[in-house]
Amino acid sequence: MRIGSSIALIAIGAILAFALAPGIIPFLDQVLVGYILIGVGIIGLIISIAMSNRTRRTVVERRGDPHTVVERRPEV
């Protein structure tokens, strides 16, 4: 789940929970479904942000001989 889909779930959940009158969808507690979608969206947003910050960067340096490559990976 990416950031955009998490925000979409939060928006759809907020519409179901707060904007629609209760009872429009028969046999379904739309307020509860809205709260569930908001919760799932928030959890997905937190995970997406955490995963995007975990990317490791690699620095590649070329020294002297064009066929020699020195690769450094910074410690996290």
Side-chain angles (χ1 to χ4, degrees), residues 11-64:
I12 292 169
I15 290 170
L16 282 174
F18 306 122
L20 295 178
I24 290 179
I25 304 171
F27 307 110
L28 182 68
D29 186 6
Q30 67 197 37
V31 176
L32 179 63
V33 172
Y35 286 141
I36 291 171
L37 287 177
I38 291 171
V40 170
I42 290 172
I43 291 170
L45 184 64
I46 292 169
I47 292 173
S48 297
I49 291 172
M51 293 299 285
S52 69
N53 287 337
R54 293 186 67 203
T55 58
R56 298 187 81 173
R57 295 191 176 131
T58 302
V59 177
V60 176
E61 298 177 5
R62 296 190 184 272
R63 296 183 187 169

